[in-house]
Amino acid sequence: MYRQGDVLIVPVAQGAVPAAVAHMARQPRDARGRLVLALGEVTGHAHAVVGPGELVREGGPFGFSWLHLPEGGRVVHEEHAAIALPGGWFRVVRQREYTPNAVRVVAD
């Protein structure tokens, strides 16, 4: 497993990737050519992947993202050290927090 701030990246065997992922829309790259895993609401900084690959998001605030890196890649962020990822499939999970009013995704 890999963690960068409030983003957890879990390697997944190709056979464990849900079949529905093949039919989901791919996320576009940002203006800098990165796949953005999470955008900081406060700072505007991003946990993003540099390298060839595809990112798919399930619906809803707690849905997983599925990242496919055929050749590996790097997760970058303006305030964290870069993380090298091997080639393969990954499930991307945003950290959640409890408040008396709701469970929510951690704001960065």
Side-chain angles (χ1 to χ4, degrees):
M1 286 191 270
Y2 306 87
R3 179 175 289 282
Q4 188 183 68
D6 59 342
V7 176
L8 177 66
I9 304 166
V10 181
V12 176
Q14 184 171 352
V17 176
V21 170
H23 306 290
M24 293 178 177
R26 286 3 191 193
Q27 295 293 303
R29 292 180 178 268
D30 70 359
R32 294 165 57 183
R34 307 173 304 171
L35 294 169
V36 176
L37 304 178
L39 184 62
E41 297 85 359
V42 176
T43 63
H45 295 160
H47 298 278
V49 173
V50 178
E54 298 178 316
L55 179 66
V56 175
R57 293 190 200 285
E58 292 180 356
F62 301 118
F64 296 127
S65 293
W66 298 93
L67 175 64
H68 182 233
L69 300 175
E71 302 172 17
R74 289 183 326 124
V75 183
V76 297
H77 186 278
E78 291 82 351
E79 298 173 336
H80 299 284
I83 299 172
L85 297 176
W89 279 94
F90 302 88
R91 182 172 46 112
V92 181
V93 184
R94 294 285 308 274
Q95 183 175 340
R96 299 169 181 113
E97 65 184 355
Y98 169 81
T99 67
N101 298 324
V103 175
R104 63 183 183 202
V105 173
V106 171
D108 187 15

